[in-house]
Amino acid sequence: MLGSVLKSINRRLGTQSRAAETRGASAATNDGNPASTPQKPNLALAPDQIDPKWYEGKPGYIQRFVLEMSGECNLRCVYCPQAGENYVPAKALSEGMFDDVLAYLKRHPVDMIDLTGTGDMSMAPDWVDKCERLLALGIKLVVTMNYGTILTDEQIEILSRFTELTVSLDTIDRKILNTVRKAVDVRTIIYNIMRIRAAERRNNTNVRWVVSAVYTAEIVERLPELASFAAAFGANRFQIQDLIEFNEFNIAKKVTDVWTLTGPQAIAAVVATTSAIEIAQRNGLNTLMPPNFVERLDKLREVASQSRNWSSMTQTPGAYFSTFNPAPESGQTRDCVDPWTFVHVMSDGRIRPCCISNLHIGKMQKDQGGMEAAFNSEVAVKLRKQLLTGKLDDLCTACSLRPVIDIASYQKKVRDMTAG
């Protein structure tokens, strides 16, 4: 019975459109499964046959612009690198740095900016003023926050003008929440959400809301309640993120990975997760799941009765984290164009080429080259060459976010993207 329910959910997930969903694309795939590529002869070009312009980056290619207001966070989630003893967060975005960003945006306008970073935007002392200036340029704003500190009237008003707000929240059970996210009271989170919703009504705005939970054994049995809460306050999307182990900080071992559960605990986790997804879909919410998520649930259910640890049989260790996403085989690469279409400006000015890489392709400061120089830095070009040839580094090989694709199809995608 449960297996047929999972198949039904998988079909529904596969029919949902990604067109209107901007946030979350860096964290999961909308259908719960990476696109499978039919087996066919590999007609990929050799490195010396690739058009050099395919390696180039241009401002016009950017589809997702992330600007980090602060590297500091008001919480200490036990599975987050910020909880690591040796973690040193970056300071808030300076006024001079922000001026350099504004100057770039005036030269190369973007439609939308994601203000999510390694910290929480609320930790930046002047974030409201910076948001006002971005909105004045006609830029749509989105952000993921924890809403764990009571917001001021001014902060509530500006957030009610955002295009999308994601609530990073694992459970609404107060006791459980405090075991995974230190120093937060769910009542504060709910209070802030409802005040922003009220401001929307007052200002005739319409924020798109997302509730996003990190998938751990500690919270899994209360997932149906979280999905119900998301539906109750009018969220548009309910999403689940895999627990990621950042090996350099050894953080995620402080909670239990759902995929390591066996027997009755595993079955209970599958039942609760399936129920949460059904509740969200029944109430009209879009659902966003990690790669292969529903297939993994079905497999976990299947092996649970045999008291086997499915995680130990399937999990692939990466350089910085572990993932269930299959590694590319010969003739394949990652279906990722982030080195062309994504930039993450950190609060200290370093520019990252994707949301999980610790590489930096340049610095935003005008006197250090700025964004234009970063687009075609040695690091940026090297990343594009690796993807175009399938010769990936450890991080891209173990990426949990992007499916695999045959190199020939990937090269065609890049060729079409750079043809304009």
Side-chain angles (χ1 to χ4, degrees):
M1 176 64 180
L2 187 55
S4 63
V5 171
L6 287 168
K7 290 179 181 177
S8 176
I9 287 175
N10 208 14
R11 284 195 299 270
R12 292 198 297 271
L13 284 170
T15 61
Q16 292 179 354
S17 170
R18 277 187 286 195
E21 303 298 341
T22 301
R23 280 291 304 146
S26 66
T29 59
N30 197 50
D31 58 4
N33 298 284
S36 58
T37 303
Q39 295 297 317
K40 57 183 178 181
N42 190 346
L43 303 176
L45 298 175
D48 60 354
Q49 296 175 310
I50 294 175
D51 188 334
K53 76 175 184 179
W54 294 3
Y55 299 136
E56 296 176 3
K58 296 180 180 180
Y61 294 159
I62 298 301
Q63 298 175 13
R64 186 166 175 227
F65 191 111
V66 179
L67 175 61
E68 179 179 283
M69 289 287 192
S70 177
E72 296 184 287
C73 188
N74 52 316
L75 303 186
R76 286 297 177 268
C77 302
V78 297
Y79 46 71
C80 177
Q82 295 240 7
E85 293 181 2
N86 300 321
Y87 187 87
V88 180
K91 301 299 182 182
L93 186 71
S94 69
E95 188 63 31
M97 185 85 62
F98 187 67
D99 286 340
D100 288 340
V101 173
L102 285 181
Y104 170 82
L105 293 172
K106 290 174 181 177
R107 294 193 302 272
H108 306 287
V110 299
D111 178 63
M112 182 179 293
I113 289 181
D114 185 344
L115 297 174
T116 306
T118 55
D120 197 85
M121 184 175 71
S122 65
M123 296 295 287
D126 53 355
W127 65 268
V128 172
D129 176 68
K130 289 182 171 63
C131 290
E132 286 278 10
R133 291 156 72 184
L134 291 170
L135 288 169
L137 293 177
I139 299 172
K140 300 172 185 174
L141 301 180
V142 303
V143 70
T144 298
M145 295 174 61
N146 60 57
Y147 303 88
T149 302
I150 293 179
L151 300 171
T152 66
D153 291 349
E154 183 184 35
Q155 292 167 345
I156 293 290
E157 288 295 311
I158 195 74
L159 288 171
S160 74
R161 295 163 56 194
F162 273 50
T163 294
E164 181 175 284
L165 297 175
T166 296
V167 185
S168 181
L169 178 64
D170 300 336
T171 178
I172 58 170
D173 182 288
R174 291 176 63 200
K175 183 176 180 180
I176 296 174
L177 186 63
N178 277 319
T179 66
V180 293
R181 299 195 172 203
K182 304 296 183 182
V184 65
D185 191 327
V186 71
R187 294 174 295 185
T188 299
I189 298 171
I190 296 172
Y191 175 68
N192 285 326
I193 290 172
M194 297 314 298
R195 288 194 66 207
I196 298 170
R197 298 252 62 180
E200 290 178 61
R201 302 299 183 270
R202 186 168 61 251
N203 298 328
N204 194 29
T205 56
N206 186 24
V207 176
R208 187 168 64 235
W209 285 85
V210 180
V211 173
S212 179
V214 175
Y215 196 54
T216 67
E218 282 72 13
I219 63 93
V220 67
E221 291 192 23
R222 302 303 291 266
L223 269 180
E225 183 180 37
L226 183 64
S228 302
F229 167 72
F233 84 80
N236 303 88
R237 187 170 77 228
F238 178 70
Q239 67 186 42
I240 294 173
Q241 297 187 42
D242 270 327
L243 176 68
I244 294 177
E245 174 61 273
F246 292 84
N247 292 337
E248 57 188 314
F249 297 107
N250 196 32
I251 295 298
K253 291 181 176 61
K254 295 182 180 180
V255 288
T256 305
D257 194 332
V258 171
W259 309 108
T260 66
L261 299 177
T262 60
Q265 285 184 311
I267 292 294
V270 174
V271 170
T273 306
T274 304
S275 175
I277 296 172
E278 286 192 306
I279 289 169
Q281 293 179 342
R282 190 172 66 243
N283 284 279
L285 278 72
N286 289 323
T287 46
L288 191 65
M289 303 295 132
N292 302 307
F293 189 75
V294 176
E295 286 183 357
R296 283 188 271 149
L297 282 178
D298 197 30
K299 188 64 176 178
L300 182 62
R301 173 193 59 81
E302 181 183 323
V303 303
S305 60
Q306 303 170 29
S307 297
R308 291 190 293 165
N309 185 326
W310 182 61
S311 172
S312 65
M313 296 186 290
T314 61
Q315 199 165 16
T316 303
Y320 301 97
F321 55 85
S322 298
T323 174
F324 291 98
N325 208 11
E329 299 177 355
S330 177
Q332 296 179 324
T333 188
R334 285 284 176 209
D335 190 3
C336 174
V337 291
D338 282 2
W340 289 266
T341 65
F342 175 97
V343 289
H344 176 174
V345 180
M346 301 185 71
S347 59
D348 60 5
R350 292 175 296 167
I351 302 171
R352 293 168 57 176
C354 83
C355 62
I356 59 172
S357 174
N358 66 343
L359 294 174
H360 304 100
I361 61 174
K363 292 192 175 182
M364 191 71 210
Q365 291 92 326
K366 182 170 58 176
D367 60 358
Q368 298 189 50
M371 183 73 80
E372 286 92 340
F375 279 138
N376 291 296
S377 68
E378 182 179 347
V379 176
V381 172
K382 182 180 179 180
L383 276 173
R384 296 174 192 134
K385 287 183 176 179
Q386 289 175 351
L387 285 161
L388 280 162
T389 60
K391 298 177 181 179
L392 306 178
D393 61 19
D394 289 344
L395 190 65
C396 290
T397 296
C399 178
S400 64
L401 304 180
R402 299 291 185 257
V404 296
I405 185 174
D406 68 90
I407 295 174
S409 296
Y410 181 80
Q411 290 177 349
K412 181 180 183 302
K413 175 182 287 191
V414 174
R415 181 197 69 191
D416 293 345
M417 181 182 69
T418 58

